[in-house]
Amino acid sequence: MQNEQLSLGIETKPHSSETFIVLSLKEKYFEQMLDGYKRYEYRRKFINRPVTAFIYLVSPVKSVTGIVKLGKPIIGSAHEIAQICENEEPGTGAYEATLKYLEGLEKGFAIPVLSVEKIDPVSLQELRDRFKFVAPQSYMIIDNKPELLTFLQSRRKNV
């Protein structure tokens, strides 16, 4: 079974340890998560397990401003993922927009948003100065960057 999973390109890391990432996102999508309107994050590429994502808001904000717990991704064809999006946003053109976003791919990802919280923001410049941080275009795993991970965790407001 494990060989079959590897041949499909599915990661098989044990789920016993939490995975942390920095996820780049437009501000409007983070606001929609905070409001409870956006219940899935859609991606062309993603890791196949639940993660804790530190949200890096792209330009013009350019700072890490939140933490989102994301569940195990739903992996499906472009049509299947577009249907999830349409169910979330009926009548908004979400189906067509998602099909266009996933065009040319065999599969896409609909990642459930489990919880969202704001943190004390930290600017891109501070992250660059302290950690030589480069903002990811999509996401970056930071499990192997303990200083950065500890610093970002310390920005939580209710810890």
Side-chain angles (χ1 to χ4, degrees):
M1 177 79 164
Q2 190 172 8
N3 289 339
E4 290 176 300
Q5 288 179 328
L6 290 175
S7 68
L8 294 172
I10 299 171
E11 296 180 40
T12 58
K13 179 182 174 184
H15 297 279
S16 59
S17 64
E18 194 169 5
T19 298
F20 293 92
I21 66 172
V22 173
L23 182 74
S24 291
L25 203 60
K26 291 182 179 178
E27 184 177 23
K28 73 177 185 175
Y29 298 127
F30 182 58
E31 292 298 327
Q32 289 174 355
M33 287 178 182
L34 286 167
D35 293 342
Y37 177 74
K38 184 172 176 58
R39 297 177 303 135
Y40 290 90
E41 173 61 17
Y42 301 96
R43 293 284 164 151
R44 297 168 56 92
K45 251 175 72 171
F46 206 71
I47 45 183
N48 189 23
R49 62 182 171 270
V51 299
T52 299
F54 291 94
I55 302 300
Y56 170 77
L57 298 182
V58 298
S59 188
V61 178
K62 295 185 180 179
S63 63
V64 174
T65 62
I67 299 175
V68 176
K69 294 266 188 187
L70 297 170
K72 185 167 175 49
I74 298 167
I75 303 170
S77 69
H79 290 282
E80 291 167 330
I81 300 303
Q83 189 59 58
I84 293 169
C85 193
E86 178 64 24
N87 292 345
E88 186 178 26
E89 303 175 44
T92 63
Y95 184 86
E96 293 80 12
T98 304
L99 276 183
K100 184 176 180 183
Y101 173 65
L102 297 173
E103 189 175 15
L105 298 177
E106 288 184 30
K107 65 183 177 186
F109 296 80
I111 308 122
V113 175
L114 304 178
S115 67
V116 185
E117 70 180 88
K118 285 187 174 183
I119 63 171
D120 290 327
V122 57
S123 72
L124 175 59
Q125 191 59 55
E126 182 176 354
L127 291 169
R128 281 181 179 157
D129 293 346
R130 292 181 109 169
F131 305 102
K132 297 181 181 173
F133 179 84
V134 176
Q137 276 199 319
S138 180
Y139 69 90
M140 86 167 62
I141 298 171
I142 59 171
D143 293 348
N144 60 346
K145 301 178 187 305
E147 297 86 9
L148 175 61
L149 178 56
T150 300
F151 176 75
L152 291 175
Q153 288 175 320
S154 76
R155 306 299 287 196
R156 295 179 85 166
K157 294 178 179 181
N158 31 337
V159 172

